[in-house]
Amino acid sequence: MSIQAINVRNQFRGKVKEIIHGDVVSEVDVETPWGIVTSVITSRSVKDLDLKVGSEVVALVKSTEVSIAKL
């Protein structure tokens, strides 16, 4: 499947900055020109995608809800 085949409008190119490995899920921080995007994905996916610090990736963001809090 190519990136073009995915129905996600918010795509941020970046590099993996940090991976916090867990038994079932892992936290992946992606550094983009606009800041850090953090994703929680299965540890199996980290392995299958061969993600490492420095890997070039695209963070695909699709949300059905966005909450806002006043500062």
Side-chain angles (χ1 to χ4, degrees), residues 35-53:
I36 301 293
V37 175
T38 301
S39 178
V40 176
I41 63 174
T42 64
S43 296
R44 176 184 239 171
S45 291
V46 172
K47 182 181 175 191
D48 290 349
L49 291 168
D50 194 28
L51 294 180
K52 296 175 176 41
V53 171

Side-chain angles (χ1 to χ4, degrees), residues 15-21 27-29 31 46 50-57:
K15 288 188 179 182
V16 175
K17 181 177 180 171
E18 182 178 12
I19 301 173
I20 301 171
H21 296 276
E27 188 174 316
V28 181
D29 289 342
E31 188 163 18
V46 172
D50 194 28
L51 294 180
K52 296 175 176 41
V53 171
S55 294
E56 291 188 20
V57 296

Side-chain angles (χ1 to χ4, degrees), residues 1-2 7 9 11-12 14 21 25-26 28 39-40 42 45 54 56 59-62 67:
M1 177 186 311
S2 69
N7 183 24
R9 299 283 184 229
Q11 300 180 14
F12 304 97
H21 296 276
V25 294
S26 296
V28 181
S39 178
V40 176
T42 64
S45 291
E56 291 188 20
L60 306 166
V61 180
K62 187 168 186 171
S67 299

